[in-house]
Amino acid sequence: MKKFLIGLAAGVSLLAATAAQAESKYQCKEGETYVMNVMVSGVEYWFPVYEAFKQAAQAMGCKTAYTGTPEYDVTKQIASFDQALAKQPAGILVHPMNSDPFIEPINRAVDSGVSIVTFAADSPNSKRASYVTSDNNKEGAYAADVIAEALGGKGEYGILENPGQDNHDKRVVAFIARMTEKYPDIKLVGRAATNQDPTKAYQAVLSMAQANPNLGALFMPEANSALGAAQAAQELGGKIKIMNADVNGKILDMIKAGQVFGAVNPNQGIQGYMGFMLLFNAAHPDLIDPMNDWKRSAYNPMGVPFVDNGFAVVTKDNADDFYWDAYLKRRGTKGIEE
């Protein structure tokens, strides 16, 4: 009898939980789909973002899709965005390669009833509902502090950059501003636009070091340029400290080997998870009735201007915690193939 009562209680609890889930408004309808869209879709940075995007979606019974273009080409990314939009998903989480070219596509999507949230880079003058990113200004400033300490407060540094991409520009501007304000004895001696190209970065570092023999450090706002910069630095004797933003398997290997000094890395998982939650809320504005003028002003009451997903500083001590293949194995999923 006791076993029967225990079993009955467990059954009632299960039914109650199932009923509560069925009544939850935070559940997708059958077939409700949310899309993530990027440029350079094979870049490892996106993969943990999408993995956490899936985690949130799966918890709510939603479907997801990973889309984008393999090229670093805003026209081709917009074409891939339009292809995703043509399927009329509930929402799209997009990393706009450039801000202004995405205004019209995003506005067109929102006007058609598809919710849009941006991540990592923004299109602030569009109708997107929300924006989730790490604080690029804090990342740049923190990276400057790390490099300044490593240089002992004196020396010369250079910048490799990717002009035109919003989040990258902010990191560079913040890095230089911090150095200028707080470390006047560390001088900026060179800048080069490498546009995420390792070969251009390699050549730029060789040229910059030749013109500035006392070059002690380099900062770049992304990972691909760091691959070429680190190779050049090693050929020059390994004395130039390479600091970049974002990580991938190769960068992590180089950090552990001492070829790259360190990296600031956005919390990709929180970026993807919160990106989905913001997107779901934007697609379901009826879930809230706030005390403000949203009806009169005709804006999405679920819109959140900015969510900071945080960042980490990756060094030899913690590099093992950031490998994508180990993360994927631990989770037992197929990554972007799902």
Side-chain angles (χ1 to χ4, degrees), residues 150-166:
L151 292 177
K154 296 181 179 181
E156 297 178 351
Y157 75 96
I159 295 287
L160 304 184
E161 54 194 320
N162 179 35
Q165 185 167 319
D166 177 65

PDB file of all heavy atoms in Angstrom, residues 150-166:
ATOM      1  N   ALA A 150      51.942  44.547 -18.119  1.00  0.00           N
ATOM      2  CA  ALA A 150      52.979  43.661 -18.654  1.00  0.00           C
ATOM      3  C   ALA A 150      54.183  44.446 -19.171  1.00  0.00           C
ATOM      4  O   ALA A 150      55.315  43.963 -19.117  1.00  0.00           O
ATOM      5  CB  ALA A 150      52.399  42.807 -19.780  1.00  0.00           C
ATOM      6  N   LEU A 151      53.945  45.669 -19.649  1.00  0.00           N
ATOM      7  CA  LEU A 151      55.040  46.511 -20.151  1.00  0.00           C
ATOM      8  C   LEU A 151      55.712  47.326 -19.044  1.00  0.00           C
ATOM      9  O   LEU A 151      56.678  48.046 -19.301  1.00  0.00           O
ATOM     10  CB  LEU A 151      54.517  47.467 -21.228  1.00  0.00           C
ATOM     11  CG  LEU A 151      54.056  46.844 -22.556  1.00  0.00           C
ATOM     12  CD1 LEU A 151      53.510  47.920 -23.479  1.00  0.00           C
ATOM     13  CD2 LEU A 151      55.185  46.077 -23.231  1.00  0.00           C
ATOM     14  N   GLY A 152      55.183  47.227 -17.837  1.00  0.00           N
ATOM     15  CA  GLY A 152      55.749  47.983 -16.736  1.00  0.00           C
ATOM     16  C   GLY A 152      55.479  49.471 -16.824  1.00  0.00           C
ATOM     17  O   GLY A 152      56.219  50.283 -16.250  1.00  0.00           O
ATOM     18  N   GLY A 153      54.416  49.819 -17.546  1.00  0.00           N
ATOM     19  CA  GLY A 153      54.021  51.227 -17.631  1.00  0.00           C
ATOM     20  C   GLY A 153      54.799  52.061 -18.616  1.00  0.00           C
ATOM     21  O   GLY A 153      54.569  53.272 -18.729  1.00  0.00           O
ATOM     22  N   LYS A 154      55.729  51.461 -19.377  1.00  0.00           N
ATOM     23  CA  LYS A 154      56.525  52.208 -20.357  1.00  0.00           C
ATOM     24  C   LYS A 154      56.709  51.367 -21.618  1.00  0.00           C
ATOM     25  O   LYS A 154      56.775  50.141 -21.542  1.00  0.00           O
ATOM     26  CB  LYS A 154      57.902  52.566 -19.783  1.00  0.00           C
ATOM     27  CG  LYS A 154      57.874  53.511 -18.598  1.00  0.00           C
ATOM     28  CD  LYS A 154      59.294  53.831 -18.122  1.00  0.00           C
ATOM     29  CE  LYS A 154      59.268  54.803 -16.949  1.00  0.00           C
ATOM     30  NZ  LYS A 154      60.636  55.147 -16.481  1.00  0.00           N
ATOM     31  N   GLY A 155      56.785  52.071 -22.764  1.00  0.00           N
ATOM     32  CA  GLY A 155      57.058  51.333 -23.987  1.00  0.00           C
ATOM     33  C   GLY A 155      56.266  51.831 -25.177  1.00  0.00           C
ATOM     34  O   GLY A 155      55.730  52.951 -25.188  1.00  0.00           O
ATOM     35  N   GLU A 156      56.196  50.975 -26.207  1.00  0.00           N
ATOM     36  CA  GLU A 156      55.502  51.306 -27.448  1.00  0.00           C
ATOM     37  C   GLU A 156      54.551  50.180 -27.827  1.00  0.00           C
ATOM     38  O   GLU A 156      54.837  48.996 -27.584  1.00  0.00           O
ATOM     39  CB  GLU A 156      56.518  51.519 -28.575  1.00  0.00           C
ATOM     40  CG  GLU A 156      57.468  52.690 -28.329  1.00  0.00           C
ATOM     41  CD  GLU A 156      58.494  52.856 -29.439  1.00  0.00           C
ATOM     42  OE1 GLU A 156      58.575  51.951 -30.323  1.00  0.00           O
ATOM     43  OE2 GLU A 156      59.211  53.868 -29.431  1.00  0.00           O
ATOM     44  N   TYR A 157      53.434  50.568 -28.425  1.00  0.00           N
ATOM     45  CA  TYR A 157      52.473  49.548 -28.868  1.00  0.00           C
ATOM     46  C   TYR A 157      51.891  49.924 -30.219  1.00  0.00           C
ATOM     47  O   TYR A 157      51.965  51.077 -30.664  1.00  0.00           O
ATOM     48  CB  TYR A 157      51.359  49.363 -27.836  1.00  0.00           C
ATOM     49  CG  TYR A 157      50.316  50.467 -27.801  1.00  0.00           C
ATOM     50  CD1 TYR A 157      49.111  50.339 -28.495  1.00  0.00           C
ATOM     51  CD2 TYR A 157      50.518  51.636 -27.064  1.00  0.00           C
ATOM     52  CE1 TYR A 157      48.145  51.344 -28.470  1.00  0.00           C
ATOM     53  CE2 TYR A 157      49.567  52.645 -27.027  1.00  0.00           C
ATOM     54  CZ  TYR A 157      48.383  52.488 -27.732  1.00  0.00           C
ATOM     55  OH  TYR A 157      47.435  53.484 -27.699  1.00  0.00           O
ATOM     56  N   GLY A 158      51.308  48.928 -30.872  1.00  0.00           N
ATOM     57  CA  GLY A 158      50.657  49.144 -32.154  1.00  0.00           C
ATOM     58  C   GLY A 158      49.253  48.553 -32.146  1.00  0.00           C
ATOM     59  O   GLY A 158      48.901  47.764 -31.260  1.00  0.00           O
ATOM     60  N   ILE A 159      48.464  48.924 -33.132  1.00  0.00           N
ATOM     61  CA  ILE A 159      47.084  48.471 -33.266  1.00  0.00           C
ATOM     62  C   ILE A 159      46.883  47.820 -34.634  1.00  0.00           C
ATOM     63  O   ILE A 159      47.275  48.377 -35.657  1.00  0.00           O
ATOM     64  CB  ILE A 159      46.085  49.646 -33.136  1.00  0.00           C
ATOM     65  CG1 ILE A 159      46.136  50.253 -31.730  1.00  0.00           C
ATOM     66  CG2 ILE A 159      44.669  49.216 -33.502  1.00  0.00           C
ATOM     67  CD1 ILE A 159      45.513  49.401 -30.650  1.00  0.00           C
ATOM     68  N   LEU A 160      46.279  46.658 -34.662  1.00  0.00           N
ATOM     69  CA  LEU A 160      45.783  46.045 -35.890  1.00  0.00           C
ATOM     70  C   LEU A 160      44.266  46.102 -35.789  1.00  0.00           C
ATOM     71  O   LEU A 160      43.697  45.692 -34.773  1.00  0.00           O
ATOM     72  CB  LEU A 160      46.253  44.600 -36.018  1.00  0.00           C
ATOM     73  CG  LEU A 160      47.772  44.364 -35.964  1.00  0.00           C
ATOM     74  CD1 LEU A 160      48.087  42.896 -36.190  1.00  0.00           C
ATOM     75  CD2 LEU A 160      48.506  45.230 -36.982  1.00  0.00           C
ATOM     76  N   GLU A 161      43.594  46.585 -36.823  1.00  0.00           N
ATOM     77  CA  GLU A 161      42.160  46.831 -36.674  1.00  0.00           C
ATOM     78  C   GLU A 161      41.334  46.398 -37.874  1.00  0.00           C
ATOM     79  O   GLU A 161      41.860  45.972 -38.906  1.00  0.00           O
ATOM     80  CB  GLU A 161      41.917  48.301 -36.363  1.00  0.00           C
ATOM     81  CG  GLU A 161      42.536  49.279 -37.342  1.00  0.00           C
ATOM     82  CD  GLU A 161      42.556  50.696 -36.785  1.00  0.00           C
ATOM     83  OE1 GLU A 161      41.572  51.114 -36.141  1.00  0.00           O
ATOM     84  OE2 GLU A 161      43.562  51.404 -37.016  1.00  0.00           O
ATOM     85  N   ASN A 162      40.036  46.525 -37.678  1.00  0.00           N
ATOM     86  CA  ASN A 162      39.054  46.093 -38.664  1.00  0.00           C
ATOM     87  C   ASN A 162      38.015  47.202 -38.802  1.00  0.00           C
ATOM     88  O   ASN A 162      36.889  47.074 -38.330  1.00  0.00           O
ATOM     89  CB  ASN A 162      38.416  44.780 -38.183  1.00  0.00           C
ATOM     90  CG  ASN A 162      37.375  44.256 -39.130  1.00  0.00           C
ATOM     91  OD1 ASN A 162      37.497  44.395 -40.337  1.00  0.00           O
ATOM     92  ND2 ASN A 162      36.323  43.657 -38.585  1.00  0.00           N
ATOM     93  N   PRO A 163      38.385  48.314 -39.425  1.00  0.00           N
ATOM     94  CA  PRO A 163      37.508  49.491 -39.447  1.00  0.00           C
ATOM     95  C   PRO A 163      36.139  49.209 -40.061  1.00  0.00           C
ATOM     96  O   PRO A 163      36.025  48.506 -41.065  1.00  0.00           O
ATOM     97  CB  PRO A 163      38.293  50.488 -40.320  1.00  0.00           C
ATOM     98  CG  PRO A 163      39.704  50.039 -40.241  1.00  0.00           C
ATOM     99  CD  PRO A 163      39.639  48.556 -40.153  1.00  0.00           C
ATOM    100  N   GLY A 164      35.111  49.769 -39.414  1.00  0.00           N
ATOM    101  CA  GLY A 164      33.765  49.652 -39.955  1.00  0.00           C
ATOM    102  C   GLY A 164      32.870  48.681 -39.220  1.00  0.00           C
ATOM    103  O   GLY A 164      31.647  48.741 -39.351  1.00  0.00           O
ATOM    104  N   GLN A 165      33.467  47.740 -38.455  1.00  0.00           N
ATOM    105  CA  GLN A 165      32.642  46.827 -37.661  1.00  0.00           C
ATOM    106  C   GLN A 165      32.493  47.416 -36.268  1.00  0.00           C
ATOM    107  O   GLN A 165      33.472  47.588 -35.545  1.00  0.00           O
ATOM    108  CB  GLN A 165      33.239  45.419 -37.610  1.00  0.00           C
ATOM    109  CG  GLN A 165      32.314  44.420 -36.894  1.00  0.00           C
ATOM    110  CD  GLN A 165      32.725  42.980 -37.094  1.00  0.00           C
ATOM    111  OE1 GLN A 165      33.108  42.582 -38.183  1.00  0.00           O
ATOM    112  NE2 GLN A 165      32.649  42.183 -36.039  1.00  0.00           N
ATOM    113  N   ASP A 166      31.262  47.698 -35.901  1.00  0.00           N
ATOM    114  CA  ASP A 166      30.931  48.483 -34.716  1.00  0.00           C
ATOM    115  C   ASP A 166      31.637  48.016 -33.456  1.00  0.00           C
ATOM    116  O   ASP A 166      32.299  48.802 -32.766  1.00  0.00           O
ATOM    117  CB  ASP A 166      29.404  48.452 -34.527  1.00  0.00           C
ATOM    118  CG  ASP A 166      28.951  49.174 -33.275  1.00  0.00           C
ATOM    119  OD1 ASP A 166      29.142  50.393 -33.214  1.00  0.00           O
ATOM    120  OD2 ASP A 166      28.406  48.512 -32.368  1.00  0.00           O
TER     121      ASP A 166
END
